[in-house]
Amino acid sequence: QQLLGYRRTHPSNMLVAYTQILSATGMSATASCPMLGTPPTWHPSVLSMTRPAPKELNHAYVNSLDGLNFAALKSDITSMLKTSQSFWPADFGHYGPLFVRLAWHCAGSYRRSDGMGGCDGARIRFDHENSWADNANLDKAKKLLWSVKKKWGDKISWGDLIVLTADTAMEDMGFETLGTCLGRLDDDSGFWSEELGPSDQQQEVAPCPEGSGKCQEPFGAAFLQHIYVNPGGREGNSSDLVGSALQIREVFGRMGMNDSETIALIGGGHAFGKAHGRCAGGPGPSPVEQPWDSWPGTCGSGKGADATTSKFEGAWTETPIVWSNLYFKYLRDLSFVKSVSPAGNTQWEISPDPATKSAPVAHGSGKTPIMMLTSDVALLHDDSFKQLVHNFADDWALLNNSFAHAWYKLMTRDLGPYERCVGPLKPGPQPWQHVVPSTSPSADSITEATTQLQSWLSTQGARDSAIWLAAQCAATFRVTDYRGGCNGARIRFSGEKGLAINMRGTTNKLDAPLKKIQTIKDSLSGSLSMSDLIVLAGGLAVMSSSSGIDIPFCGGRGDASSGEGSANLYPWLTMNGMTGAVFKQNDLQFFLHAAKISGLTTPEVVAFMARMHLADWRSYYLNLLNNDWVPVTTDDPAVAYRAQDGVASASQADLFLTYDDDMKAVAQQFATGTDDLFKQTFKAAWNKLMSADRFNGPVSNVCADHFATDAPSPSPPSAVSPPKPMNYPLNDDGDDDDMPAWAVAIVVLVSLSISLLLILIAAVLYKQTSDASRLQFVSHKQKEGISSAAKSEAFPVGSGGRA
């Protein structure tokens, strides 16, 4: 029963739980189950299910980066870049441009709407991204990079290696990068790319008609299986140059880039390498279609001079493996007219003489005219873009600085706050990382604040206000790009504070608690940030609303000076009233997506939803499960439904708990299970959200370390140890009657004995039956559960995602 309940949210840890149960008998897991270790000699071959403990490995990896010999690693990378291989000969004798493209496409999947995508996790190694049309022939880059990864092993993750290789390549071609933020942790599947598509999940969360070229935000690119826009023009129309420029601005904006960053990235990227368009048939089958020989080409050898990727052909500048601003000078000084690539795509050549500017041929000897794409020429048909083209053509230093900063942002945006960057190569904090200075509150200031907050919380309505404020402040966190959370207290500013979900008619529900907490802050003899006070007040309100839920307090948050870091952040699990949000707000699939990116497990989500009902949480679940609900119109978006009895009310998000089978099952367990079952789960959810943004590197959390010390805690005394893993027994009578170890041992041994006896009986029966009557054993495929633990290593409690 314990294992069956535990599997819902901890599928990757079931083996651990099973091992713990077996340990009571003195038996090892590997001795009893061949899938946990080396099978006995008599057992058929099986796939090993053992997996290393990712958190420990990630800690070891991050800690080792400061001592890594980067000079030797970059020397190996440079050697690989300049050593051409016959299976994919290097253009111009240098693989640098290929690896700039690999890193660009690895990181360029990032979108601001929900933080999905980016190179953290290195999911470009897996489908869906691995087989995107825009990533054609990047399988060769990964094969080339394997020679370096094989040598350095776990000392450098795939994600960090991809980005570091691109930076090293550009440095070898003459560009000075801003630096490299390290600390990317590799995923073990493409699970976190599902919503990037093409997939059913993507169509539910960010719908986009395949092949239309009209994908809208929250989708990141202009069309499926691509990073940005169609280089042949909007919807492939090479004559719509104005429309192409508008789409470039819109799509680059979806990943948080402004005009200057957009033009610097386009021109800086096109300073290197060439497009490949020799064959009209394209690059051939993708890895998902033909994994044994993906993208083999459709004419000639399919490589070298016959390579085909985009079906456009040619280099952008005369020096394709040397950093320059020639791209911008050509656009400023020359005229271009349409031409056709060998593969049949429309592109642009210099007029009147295409040979005015020529690049070396990529393979062999001779020269070939440079070319431009429709998306390049379109930059001259937008006033802002055109001015930037001229600026970068005229000012070499401006381009160097602009591209260095834009490239670093492209590579790093999905890693979250500056505190998550590690290693000796990182530059200083950038404006888009919205650094919040930490604080060091004293025990006396916490005690003084606790006394005043408890006095306020004893007044009518104060507890609900404090819980609502703290939850809305912290629930903006998303585990995809590690943005959001209460650190900084940006909920004080209009972006987060002004969301419709926080309004009741014309009254903002946050005004009163914020004003009161600010008054308390001003009266303190010591110093305590607003963000710390908001979290402290919420924790005290939780404890006073429901006995048995002890909330530890971890201080040290700072206050942001503005709400600039709140763009595209919402309290995901509240759903209703997300003013300006690009997602469908009343859609179950989005709620499940919101739960996934929140970093909470399914039981934690269901428990957190009862935050405003802690005084009688069991009735909250019983009301949801037992009533029929009708929509109502009120001045409060949190009251969208009324029970038919006319008494109980609910939000749309509340009712989603009864629409999803997994969540409904947990709600039923909370409604009928022990008090401890709910309280421990709620505590885990609350602690996780309140501390999710307290980073100490990409793996560690300030509060996890803090709880392990004798840190000051609010009154009443708080438990500092993380909660036990929650079990969801099939039949819970409410008694804590776990069997002692010796009893477990007897049960397990008797069970094994009976199993052996049954096997012997089955063997005898097998011998005595005819071939026609032999039993046929059919294995039933178990419903797969996927944990997002790889995305939630920073949390002190629990694992992330939903199964």
Side-chain angles (χ1 to χ4, degrees):
Q1 287 183 352
Q2 289 179 343
L3 284 171
L4 289 173
Y6 192 61
R7 74 174 175 85
R8 180 178 298 278
T9 56
H10 299 79
S12 63
N13 290 342
M14 278 191 66
L15 304 181
V16 176
Y18 178 57
T19 304
Q20 291 172 345
I21 292 175
L22 286 175
S23 67
T25 69
M27 297 173 60
S28 70
T30 53
S32 59
C33 179
M35 295 189 78
L36 285 173
T38 304
T41 54
W42 51 266
H43 198 282
S45 175
V46 295
L47 175 66
S48 173
M49 295 292 287
T50 56
R51 290 184 60 189
K55 187 170 184 178
E56 285 72 16
L57 283 182
N58 288 337
H59 272 292
Y61 170 63
V62 170
N63 291 337
S64 70
L65 284 174
D66 282 327
L68 190 64
N69 188 341
F70 283 99
L73 173 56
K74 294 177 80 168
S75 176
D76 286 345
I77 291 172
T78 302
S79 176
M80 178 273 294
L81 292 172
K82 296 182 175 181
T83 305
S84 185
Q85 303 293 333
S86 60
F87 73 86
W88 191 254
D91 292 342
F92 316 108
H94 200 299
Y95 287 116
L98 176 64
F99 282 97
V100 172
R101 177 172 171 248
L102 174 64
W104 189 310
H105 286 220
C106 185
S109 59
Y110 173 80
R111 65 190 189 202
R112 68 183 179 184
S113 57
D114 56 5
M116 301 294 290
C119 205
D120 185 27
R123 291 176 301 276
I124 198 170
R125 296 172 297 144
F126 308 113
D127 285 325
H128 300 280
E129 293 180 57
N130 183 47
S131 292
W132 283 357
D134 221 12
N135 291 337
N137 288 320
L138 287 180
D139 56 329
K140 283 76 170 180
K142 287 172 279 187
K143 183 177 180 179
L144 289 163
L145 197 56
W146 170 240
S147 64
V148 179
K149 184 71 169 83
K150 180 172 58 176
K151 175 179 178 180
W152 289 84
D154 291 336
K155 294 178 182 178
I156 187 78
S157 68
W158 272 107
D160 280 345
L161 182 59
I162 288 171
V163 173
L164 181 63
T165 299
D167 285 357
T168 303
M170 289 194 293
E171 289 166 0
D172 192 67
M173 292 185 289
F175 176 70
E176 184 177 348
T177 64
L178 189 65
T180 308
C181 168
L182 301 172
R184 295 167 185 81
L185 307 175
D186 291 339
D187 287 0
D188 56 8
S189 73
F191 172 69
W192 285 95
S193 295
E194 288 286 346
E195 288 80 2
L196 300 179
S199 69
D200 292 340
Q201 294 96 317
Q202 166 261 313
Q203 290 292 3
E204 291 284 356
V205 173
C208 172
E210 187 156 10
S212 69
K214 298 179 180 179
C215 298
Q216 301 297 315
E217 203 168 14
F219 198 78
F223 56 120
L224 284 168
Q225 298 194 49
H226 284 70
I227 301 299
Y228 300 122
V229 300
N230 187 339
R234 184 166 64 175
E235 299 176 47
N237 183 356
S238 60
S239 298
D240 185 12
L241 297 173
V242 173
S244 179
L246 290 173
Q247 190 174 62
I248 289 170
R249 174 177 289 109
E250 178 188 348
V251 171
F252 273 76
R254 294 179 196 174
M255 61 176 301
M257 298 293 177
N258 61 31
D259 279 5
S260 177
E261 292 164 336
T262 298
I263 303 307
L265 283 171
I266 293 173
H270 289 176
F272 303 117
K274 66 180 292 289
H276 301 79
R278 184 60 58 186
C279 309
S286 69
V288 73
E289 297 166 325
Q290 187 170 294
W292 59 91
D293 185 20
S294 53
W295 290 311
T298 52
C299 68
S301 66
K303 58 187 178 182
D306 295 326
T308 301
T309 298
S310 63
K311 297 176 66 173
F312 299 100
E313 176 62 35
W316 288 269
T317 77
E318 294 177 292
T319 59
I321 56 172
V322 177
W323 169 245
S324 73
N325 65 343
L326 291 176
Y327 170 88
F328 295 107
K329 290 183 175 181
Y330 295 166
L331 285 177
R332 181 195 63 186
D333 299 337
L334 301 174
S335 297
F336 291 87
V337 296
K338 291 182 183 179
S339 62
V340 179
S341 75
N345 277 13
T346 298
Q347 54 190 51
W348 299 71
E349 65 183 12
I350 298 173
S351 175
D353 181 8
T356 301
K357 302 292 181 183
S358 295
V361 296
H363 302 275
S365 58
K367 296 275 189 175
T368 185
I370 62 102
M371 63 90 208
M372 291 286 174
L373 304 171
T374 298
S375 56
D376 297 316
V377 178
L379 302 184
L380 300 175
H381 293 262
D382 177 277
D383 290 342
S384 173
F385 287 172
K386 183 177 181 180
Q387 184 60 56
L388 287 164
V389 167
H390 282 252
N391 291 346
F392 292 145
D394 297 337
D395 194 331
W396 173 241
L398 176 65
L399 174 61
N400 278 291
N401 183 68
S402 298
F403 182 63
H405 283 82
W407 176 261
Y408 182 74
K409 181 178 180 179
L410 174 67
M411 293 296 108
T412 314
R413 185 66 185 270
D414 65 313
L415 290 176
Y418 178 73
E419 293 81 6
R420 298 192 74 254
C421 284
V422 294
L425 307 178
K426 66 179 180 181
Q430 302 299 303
W432 45 267
Q433 291 175 315
H434 303 293
V435 173
V436 176
S438 61
T439 61
S440 300
S442 67
D444 289 343
S445 63
I446 294 174
T447 300
E448 183 184 359
T450 297
T451 301
Q452 294 197 44
L453 288 170
Q454 286 177 326
S455 176
W456 167 55
L457 292 172
S458 65
T459 62
Q460 184 177 5
R463 289 186 304 184
D464 284 352
S465 294
I467 291 173
W468 180 266
L469 173 59
Q472 295 296 92
C473 188
T476 57
F477 178 80
R478 57 192 194 188
V479 75
T480 45
D481 61 354
Y482 310 101
R483 293 182 61 224
C486 203
N487 192 20
R490 294 185 179 91
I491 200 165
R492 295 169 295 145
F493 303 105
S494 59
E496 294 181 27
K497 178 184 174 183
L499 294 174
I501 190 65
N502 294 325
M503 301 297 294
R504 185 182 290 113
T506 58
T507 302
N508 192 299
K509 291 182 280 188
L510 301 182
D511 280 342
L514 282 171
K515 182 178 180 180
K516 182 62 180 181
I517 291 174
Q518 182 66 55
T519 300
I520 293 175
K521 172 180 167 58
D522 293 341
S523 70
L524 295 176
S525 57
S527 177
L528 210 60
S529 66
M530 278 293 288
S531 52
D532 267 351
L533 284 167
I534 290 170
V535 172
L536 177 58
L540 291 169
V542 166
M543 290 190 286
S544 61
S545 297
S546 180
S547 62
I549 303 181
D550 294 329
I551 303 297
F553 174 66
C554 169
R557 296 167 185 83
D559 292 335
S561 59
S562 72
E564 289 183 359
S566 295
N568 302 104
L569 295 179
Y570 308 96
W572 299 98
L573 296 175
T574 60
M575 287 293 294
N576 305 87
M578 288 168 54
T579 305
V582 292
F583 295 95
K584 295 181 291 182
Q585 298 178 35
N586 297 313
D587 183 89
L588 172 62
Q589 291 303 318
F590 173 71
F591 182 72
L592 299 180
H593 180 59
K596 174 180 177 178
I597 68 176
S598 74
L600 299 181
T601 64
T602 302
E604 288 168 350
V605 168
V606 178
F608 176 76
M609 293 302 293
R611 65 199 178 282
M612 304 307 299
H613 308 272
L614 293 176
D616 192 9
W617 52 267
R618 197 182 299 274
S619 293
Y620 166 75
Y621 295 111
L622 289 172
N623 280 333
L624 287 177
L625 295 165
N626 294 341
N627 279 306
D628 292 324
W629 298 86
V630 294
V632 294
T633 301
T634 71
D635 63 354
D636 188 344
V639 181
Y641 290 84
R642 190 81 67 183
Q644 285 192 338
D645 61 13
V647 179
S649 63
S651 69
Q652 177 68 75
D654 291 324
L655 292 189
F656 282 146
L657 301 186
T658 68
Y659 297 170
D660 177 71
D661 290 343
D662 289 348
M663 292 187 178
K664 184 176 182 180
V666 176
Q668 291 169 336
Q669 291 166 340
F670 287 156
T672 59
T674 64
D675 287 359
D676 187 62
L677 176 67
F678 168 77
K679 291 178 179 180
Q680 288 293 320
T681 310
F682 181 86
K683 176 181 175 179
W686 185 270
N687 288 343
K688 184 184 288 187
L689 277 180
M690 294 301 139
S691 62
D693 58 347
R694 304 298 307 283
F695 300 108
N696 182 19
V699 177
S700 299
N701 186 284
V702 171
C703 290
D705 299 338
H706 181 93
F707 293 160
T709 68
D710 296 326
S713 301
S715 180
S718 305
V720 297
S721 59
K724 302 180 297 183
M726 291 294 96
N727 296 322
Y728 297 91
L730 302 181
N731 296 292
D732 193 335
D733 60 5
D735 295 327
D736 295 328
D737 52 0
D738 294 334
M739 289 188 294
W742 63 266
V744 174
I746 292 175
V747 171
V748 173
L749 289 173
V750 170
S751 299
L752 290 174
S753 300
I754 293 173
S755 299
L756 289 172
L757 180 61
L758 290 174
I759 291 171
L760 290 173
I761 293 172
V764 173
L765 291 175
Y766 181 87
K767 287 291 186 180
Q768 294 178 349
T769 54
S770 64
D771 289 343
S773 63
R774 287 178 179 172
L775 293 174
Q776 301 296 317
F777 294 92
V778 180
S779 63
H780 296 276
K781 184 176 181 182
Q782 199 172 34
K783 190 177 181 181
E784 183 180 10
I786 303 178
S787 168
S788 62
K791 269 285 184 180
S792 60
E793 297 297 343
F795 302 133
V797 182
S799 60
R802 65 181 293 276

